[in-house]
Structure formats: C-alpha cells, structure tokens
Amino acid sequence: MLSRVAGSLYWMSRYVERSGNNARTLSSQLIRMLEDSDQDTLDHNWEVVLEICASKKEYSKHYSRLNSENVLHYFVRSQENENSLFNLLELAREKARESRTIIPESIWELMNRSYLEKKVQMDEPLNSNAIQSDLDDILDMSTSFQGIIESSMLRGEPYIFIKIGKWIERAETTARILKVICEKATADKGNTDLQVFDHCLHALQVANGYDSFIMEHKLTLNPYEVITFLIEEERFPRSIMYCVEHTLRAVEQLNPGKSLQSTEELLELLANTKRGIERTDVAEMTMDELLSFLKGFQDHCDRINEVFSATYNLDSYKRRSVESRR
C-alpha cells in the first residue's frame, strides 16, 4: 500500500474520532449549562471545554472574551478553527476521497453526504436547535463510520492503519480530559469531595465511559477510582492502557514475523509506554504526581505519532518536517 494512502487512512480515522470527541464534549457542556446559573462558573466551564479540545490558545487569538455564543460558533462552524466540527468533517472527507479505492464505498458516501449537508447549513442561524442537530449528526456519523469499518472491511493493512489512527487519537484525548479535569479539581482549594467527584463524573461523560464505569463500580466519592478506570482499565476501549496495548499489537501485525530496523524504535517506544502505565499506581499518587504523569504521556503520544509517521513514510510527517524548517 502506498504511504500516501496509508497516511490518508490514518488521518481520516483521527479526524472522524476527533470530531466525535469534540461533539461529545460540547454536548456534555450544554447539559451542564442547564445546571449552572453563575456566569463565572459558566465561563470557567467553557475554558475547560477549550482546553479539552486543545483550542484555548487559538480561541484567544480570535475572541477577546469567553461566552457561549462565541465558543459554540468557534467549535461548530468556524473555518478559523482547525478543530471545528465543520473543518474536521471537511478534512475527514478529503482523506476519504484520497483513499476511496480501498475503503468501503459506504464510507465515502457517509463522509461526502455529511459534509455536503453541513456545507449547505453553514449560512443558517446557529441557534440552540441547530447546534444540537449538528452535534447529533456528528456523533451519528462517527458511530456509523466505526460500524462500517468493523462490519465490512477486510482485516488487512488499510484496516490496521484506520484502527491505529483511532487508538492514538483516543489515547491523547483521554489523557487531555484527565489532565484538564484534574487541574480544575485542584485549582479551587475550597472544593468539597462532592465537587471533586463531580469533576470526575464529567470526565467519564466526556470520555463516553459513564455507563461502563457504573456497571462495575459504585458511585463513591473517591475520584481515584474514576481516574484509575480511564487510565488502566484494559477492557474499556477509551482507556489509555487499552489504546496503547492495541496500537502495539496492530504495529506488530503490520510486520508479522519480521524484525525490521525501521519498526524497532516504534515498537520499543510503545512497549516502554505500556510498561510505564503498568508500573504506575494511580491510587498512590498525589494529584501533582498524576498531573506530571499525564503531561508526560501526552509527550509520549506526540512522539508515537512522529515515529509512526516516519516509520511508514506518511505524508503528514513529511509536511510537518517541511513546515518545521520554514
């Protein structure tokens, strides 16, 4: 398979996953808005959304203050925000077009139809009904995308590149969610145990892990149970451990029975990352130690993406290298 096509599959998967994650984050915040009447709290919560979606710095370049109208436009339809739902959908559609010959036709039809529908709606007023419709449509698209991949693709190289893109994106997102929520929980010294646990419940909801968590855990006021679940639970498909473990297995499948020098660094990096998680006892860590671990893991994710892209000569790595020299 051409490296250009592999790169398109990898980033198509990441963009679709990111759009679903951002839509879920916004949907969760809209629900929380119904419970908060204090303006300072509402503004602070929007700041959390920007940080979870890795867009706080970019937002401040375009807007002088936080408010619901600005943030929602920025995340739903803004063409200035590379992580807006519309831009992510456009990027995913372009990557699907580039790899159209080796993905199910229904994937291309899904991406193309979703993009064209949202493009028509770009000039319509962005009221509460339109926002909720956009979020629901993106979540449905993301779910349908995963369903088509699982039900109709051959388990070959194209499938593996798509899955690796999803797992790396999920690992980064879960680590960022936990980091932001932990920072929020520790920033206000007057937080009660109930408020701290509320922050952790928010993390579960944004990571789409609430239902899975309560099936086997009582809703106690111990936030470390939630944090441990999102980091270490090997059965939960959005936990950091699950994503790292499955990425490692997938890379091994790309080169079965071979020990290629080009993949040794990648396999060693993934194995070391996995061992680092296994050796981490979340329950014994202070919140500062946990934040340090999460920041370190985010650096690992950046490195994994770089090494993975370089190992398989993906176009994304070439463009990044050219841009860094300018």
Side-chain angles (χ1 to χ4, degrees):
M1 184 169 60
L2 295 175
S3 60
R4 174 182 56 80
V5 176
S8 295
L9 294 170
Y10 174 74
W11 281 105
M12 174 186 67
S13 181
R14 292 199 63 162
Y15 291 140
V16 171
E17 182 66 27
R18 191 177 305 171
S19 68
N21 291 337
N22 288 359
R24 192 177 301 104
T25 301
L26 288 173
S27 182
S28 175
Q29 174 58 18
L30 291 176
I31 294 173
R32 290 171 69 85
M33 283 177 63
L34 301 176
E35 303 170 355
D36 294 324
S37 58
D38 180 69
Q39 188 60 47
D40 289 340
T41 301
L42 289 173
D43 290 345
H44 183 60
N45 287 341
W46 280 123
E47 186 176 12
V48 169
V49 169
L50 287 167
E51 291 176 344
I52 288 176
C53 298
S55 299
K56 183 179 178 181
K57 289 183 179 179
E58 287 300 315
Y59 177 88
S60 63
K61 294 179 181 179
H62 302 287
Y63 300 94
S64 58
R65 63 181 298 270
L66 283 171
N67 62 47
S68 301
E69 182 179 355
N70 288 345
V71 175
L72 287 170
H73 177 267
Y74 185 68
F75 270 118
V76 176
R77 295 184 181 173
S78 174
Q79 293 181 303
E80 297 173 334
N81 176 18
E82 64 178 11
N83 286 322
S84 73
L85 299 184
F86 178 78
N87 276 348
L88 289 172
L89 185 56
E90 183 176 30
L91 288 167
R93 178 207 184 233
E94 178 61 19
K95 295 305 178 185
R97 185 189 63 78
E98 293 173 355
S99 54
R100 187 174 176 180
T101 58
I102 58 173
I103 59 174
E105 183 64 19
S106 50
I107 286 290
W108 164 249
E109 292 173 355
L110 173 68
M111 295 287 97
N112 192 46
R113 181 177 65 252
S114 299
Y115 168 75
L116 293 177
E117 288 175 354
K118 292 307 166 191
K119 187 177 181 180
V120 170
Q121 298 169 6
M122 282 290 285
D123 295 328
E124 297 178 1
L126 192 62
N127 52 41
S128 57
N129 289 333
I131 291 169
Q132 195 57 59
S133 176
D134 283 340
L135 298 181
D136 290 343
D137 289 345
I138 291 295
L139 288 170
D140 288 344
M141 179 276 295
S142 180
T143 301
S144 297
F145 175 87
Q146 299 298 343
I148 295 171
I149 295 299
E150 292 301 325
S151 63
S152 61
M153 278 200 76
L154 292 172
R155 271 39 177 179
E157 285 188 352
Y159 174 84
I160 294 174
F161 275 97
I162 289 173
K163 301 295 281 187
I164 289 175
K166 178 182 74 172
W167 288 321
I168 291 179
E169 185 68 32
R170 283 186 177 180
E172 285 187 6
T173 300
T174 299
R176 190 164 54 249
I177 290 169
L178 284 173
K179 174 179 170 291
V180 172
I181 295 298
C182 289
E183 287 175 340
K184 181 179 179 182
T186 56
D188 300 324
K189 301 300 182 182
N191 274 344
T192 65
D193 289 343
L194 183 60
Q195 288 171 319
V196 172
F197 189 68
D198 180 63
H199 296 321
C200 291
L201 283 183
H202 186 205
L204 279 175
Q205 292 163 350
V206 173
N208 202 25
Y210 180 83
D211 291 337
S212 296
F213 179 82
I214 63 174
M215 286 181 182
E216 297 191 4
H217 300 267
K218 294 181 179 179
L219 288 177
T220 67
L221 295 181
N222 182 1
Y224 280 92
E225 289 189 6
V226 174
I227 296 170
T228 300
F229 177 81
L230 291 176
I231 293 177
E232 299 179 359
E233 178 53 71
E234 296 180 348
R235 299 169 297 168
F236 178 56
R238 293 179 185 273
S239 78
I240 292 174
M241 174 59 87
Y242 183 100
C243 293
V244 171
E245 167 68 20
H246 281 70
T247 300
L248 175 59
R249 293 180 188 175
V251 171
E252 291 173 341
Q253 288 179 340
L254 285 173
N255 300 283
K258 300 177 182 178
S259 180
L260 301 178
Q261 185 176 358
S262 60
T263 62
E264 286 181 359
E265 182 183 1
L266 178 59
L267 290 170
E268 183 179 0
L269 178 59
L270 288 166
N272 287 340
T273 302
K274 180 186 174 184
R275 282 193 293 269
I277 300 171
E278 291 172 338
R279 294 169 182 168
T280 299
D281 188 347
V282 173
E284 297 298 322
M285 300 174 77
T286 66
M287 196 59 72
D288 287 339
E289 290 172 336
L290 180 59
L291 285 171
S292 178
F293 166 79
L294 292 169
K295 290 176 183 176
F297 180 76
Q298 287 181 302
D299 291 338
H300 271 268
C301 284
D302 289 341
R303 182 60 182 156
I304 289 169
N305 177 60
E306 286 187 4
V307 175
F308 179 77
S309 296
T311 299
Y312 295 101
N313 198 30
L314 305 187
D315 287 349
S316 58
Y317 179 77
K318 292 180 181 178
R319 288 197 298 271
R320 182 172 180 176
S321 299
V322 170
E323 291 169 358
S324 67
R325 291 196 295 268
R326 290 177 179 173

